[in-house]
Amino acid sequence: MTLHDQATEIRDAITAGRTTLGIELGSTNIKASLVGPDHAPVAAGSHAWENELVDGVWTYSLDAVRAGLQGAYAALVADVEQRYGVRPTTYGALGVSAMMHGYLPFDADGELLVPFRTWRNTSTGPAAGELSELFGHNIPLRWSIAHLYQAILDDEPHVPQIAAFTTLAGYVHRELTGRHVLGVGDASGMFPVDPATRDYDQRLLGQFRHIVAAKRPGLQVEGLLPQVLPAGADAGRLTAAGAALLDPTGTLEPGVLLCPPEGDAGTGMVATNAVAPRTGNISAGTSIFAMVVLEQPLRSVHHELDLVTTPAGDLVAMVHCNNGASELDAWAGIFGEFATALGHPSGADDVFGALFRSALDGAPDGGGLLAYNYLAGEPITGLDEGRPLVVRTPDSRLTLANFMRTQIYGAFGTLALGMKVLHGEGVQIDAMFAHGGLFRTAGVAQRLLAAAVDAPVAVGRTAGEGGAWGIAVLAAYARAVDDVAPDGQVPKLDAYLAERVFADVALDVAEPDADDVAGFTTYLERYSAGLAVERAATEAL
C-alpha cells in the first residue's frame, strides 16, 4: 500500500467514526492519541502543564484541567487536519486516563471542596499508618482513602459536606459522561480491591466504617466511592456538555462510547502488553513505577509495595517512586541553555540524545558520583520531603559521561530498592517492558534500567506513545465488546492485546550487561549509604 493509499484509508476511518481517542492527563503533559482500526497511532496532540505548590499542597486547578483538555484536543484535531485534511466529528470510542491516586472531594452540587491533592503530597502519614495496620494491607500515603481518613483525623471542615470523591481520571470522565465510575485499576489506588470480586474489598470497607463511626457518625465511604468497572465495560456516553468541554467549536458530536477511566499505571500496562501474570512494566515520567502482575498474593505486607490491579482486575505489585525524570529534564534544560550560549541552539530531543548517549561512556559505577532526583518526598526511602542533590567525593571522576550515567542511575535508584523487596518475595518475571519518554533515545536508559533491575528490558515501537495510546486501546477494546452480540465471544484483555494489538510488534530487548550490573550494584550501595546526606539536606534546607 502506498503512503497516499494509507492516508486515504485513515481519512475514511476518521470520517466514518472508526477511530478511537485516548486522552491522558500526566504530570507535565496532557496527551491525546488517535488510533486507527488496526490500533496504530495516526495522530496526536499535547498540552504542557505543571503542578503548583499552593499552601504546602501539590495541586492542579480544575480550570487548568479544563484548559488542558481543550488544548490537547485542539492540538490533536489540528494534527488530523494537517495530515488528512478532515476534522473529526465522532469516534468509535474514547477513554480518559490520568495520574493515579490523590483526592478530589465534591459536595452534593458537584463543587470541589478543597484543592485537588495529588499523588505527590506526603501529608497523610498518620492515616496511612493506622489504616495499613488495621487492614494488614499497605495503604500508601498517596492513596485516596489515606487522604480522606487524614481529613477525618484532622477534623477538616469540608468532611461533613462530602458527597463523592474520586481521582483525576474519574473527575474528567464524570464531566464527559455524568457518571461517577472508575476503572478497577484506578479504583484499586483509592481503596483496596478484592481480585476475586473485581470490586472494593467488603471486609476492609466494614473495618473502615467501624473506625470512622466514632469520629464521623453516618459517613459511609461506600456511598462516596465511584462504581468500579472492569476493562471492556460500557462506562457511559459522551454528553452534549462533555462534547462542548472537549471541543468548544461544537464540531464534536455527543453519543460516543467511553471505556472505564483508568490510571496511568493501568494504561502503562496496556501500552506495554504487560497485563498477564509473570509480566511487568516500568513507566518513567515525572514519577517512575514498576508493575508486576502476580500469580498469587504476597506473603507479607511491605511498605515499599502497593497492591493494585490491572484494568481487568488481576492482582499487581506496584513499586511507585514519587520522583522520576523531572531532575533529568532540568539538567537537560541547563545544557540546552549552554549550547545556545555557545551559539549552537538545539532542540530538546537533540540535547537529550547527546546527553543520554554520553552516559554509555561513563564508568559502570558512575565514577564515584551520586545523584538524588528527590524534588518531592519519597516514601520508599522514608523521606517526607525531597532535595535534589549531586554528591561526590574528592577522588570521584567528574566527567560528562559519569555525570549523565549517574543522573540516569539516580532516576532508577529508589525503584531498584523496591524491586529488591519484590525479588525477596520470590516473584517470578518472564518479561519486563518499559515505556515513557525516557526511552526515546534508543538503547541508553533501557540498557541502564536492565542493569538496575538485573533483568531483560523490552521496548516496543509504541514505547514513546505512553498512556494516551494505552487508554485509546482500552477504548477500542470496549468498542469491540460493545459491538458483539450478547452471545458473541470477545477475548479477555490479555488475549485481545496479544492477538489483535501486539501480534506484529517488534521488540528491542536489552539484556543486562554484567559490567553494568556490577557497577550499578556498587552505585546502589553508595546510594543507600548516602541517603543520610539527603535526609540531612531536608532537615537543614
Side-chain angles (χ1 to χ4, degrees), residues 316-336:
V316 172
M318 179 182 191
V319 180
H320 185 283
C321 311
N322 279 359
N323 299 281
S326 294
E327 185 68 356
L328 274 167
D329 290 345
W331 280 109
I334 291 291
F335 284 110

Side-chain angles (χ1 to χ4, degrees), residues 256-291:
V256 180
L257 170 73
L258 269 80
C259 68
E262 266 298 345
D264 50 359
T267 57
M269 285 186 274
V270 171
T272 53
N273 191 25
V275 299
R278 296 174 67 100
T279 63
N281 84 90
I282 292 174
S283 175
T286 301
S287 63
I288 183 169
F289 50 83
M291 312 286 292

Side-chain angles (χ1 to χ4, degrees), residues 147-452:
H147 282 281
L148 174 64
Y149 191 50
Q150 190 65 54
I152 293 171
L153 293 178
D154 293 341
D155 200 25
E156 293 193 37
H158 77 275
V159 172
Q161 304 173 60
I162 301 175
F165 74 120
T166 189
T167 65
L168 182 56
Y171 162 71
V172 174
H173 184 91
R174 192 183 68 179
E175 291 295 292
L176 298 180
T177 66
R179 293 190 61 183
H180 184 49
V181 301
L182 207 57
V184 62
D186 204 8
S188 67
M190 289 196 73
F191 192 92
V193 162
D194 182 351
T197 64
R198 267 65 170 171
D199 202 350
Y200 302 117
D201 190 304
Q202 294 301 306
R203 179 180 63 84
L204 300 186
L205 277 173
Q207 291 179 335
F208 185 76
R209 188 186 311 116
H210 179 74
I211 65 167
V212 168
K215 299 178 177 66
R216 285 289 174 186
L219 180 67
Q220 300 291 329
V221 71
E222 303 97 309
L224 309 181
L225 287 162
Q227 178 189 359
V228 180
L229 297 176
D234 182 334
R237 304 279 166 159
L238 185 67
T239 63
L245 170 61
L246 275 183
D247 183 12
T249 70
T251 305
L252 178 59
E253 300 171 355
V256 180
L257 170 73
L258 269 80
C259 68
E262 266 298 345
D264 50 359
T267 57
M269 285 186 274
V270 171
T272 53
N273 191 25
V275 299
R278 296 174 67 100
T279 63
N281 84 90
I282 292 174
S283 175
T286 301
S287 63
I288 183 169
F289 50 83
M291 312 286 292
V292 178
V293 186
L294 302 176
E295 296 179 280
Q296 57 192 15
L298 300 178
R299 296 187 299 268
S300 303
V301 177
H302 303 277
H303 82 273
E304 300 92 345
L305 304 177
D306 299 17
L307 289 178
V308 292
T309 77
T310 70
D314 295 310
L315 192 63
V316 172
M318 179 182 191
V319 180
H320 185 283
C321 311
N322 279 359
N323 299 281
S326 294
E327 185 68 356
L328 274 167
D329 290 345
W331 280 109
I334 291 291
F335 284 110
E337 290 178 22
F338 179 66
T340 299
L342 289 177
H344 301 285
S346 301
D349 284 349
D350 291 334
V351 172
F352 268 104
L355 292 174
F356 271 46
R357 284 188 291 272
S358 74
L360 297 182
D361 296 326
D365 70 343
L369 279 64
L370 269 179
Y372 293 98
N373 62 338
Y374 289 5
L375 287 163
E378 195 57 81
I380 287 180
T381 50
L383 291 165
D384 292 333
E385 296 183 48
R387 299 291 184 272
L389 294 177
V390 176
V391 182
R392 68 189 187 97
T393 56
D395 60 347
S396 62
R397 300 179 299 284
L398 181 57
T399 65
L400 178 63
N402 284 342
F403 180 82
M404 286 311 302
R405 180 175 282 242
T406 298
Q407 286 294 329
I408 297 173
Y409 276 177
F412 298 146
T414 311
L415 180 78
L417 294 176
M419 289 297 290
K420 287 179 66 175
V421 176
L422 197 59
H423 292 319
E425 276 273 356
V427 173
Q428 299 296 311
I429 304 172
D430 292 334
M432 183 66 79
F433 302 90
H435 79 116
L438 200 61
F439 303 100
R440 289 175 64 181
T441 302
V444 181
Q446 179 186 7
R447 169 180 153 182
L448 300 185
L449 177 59

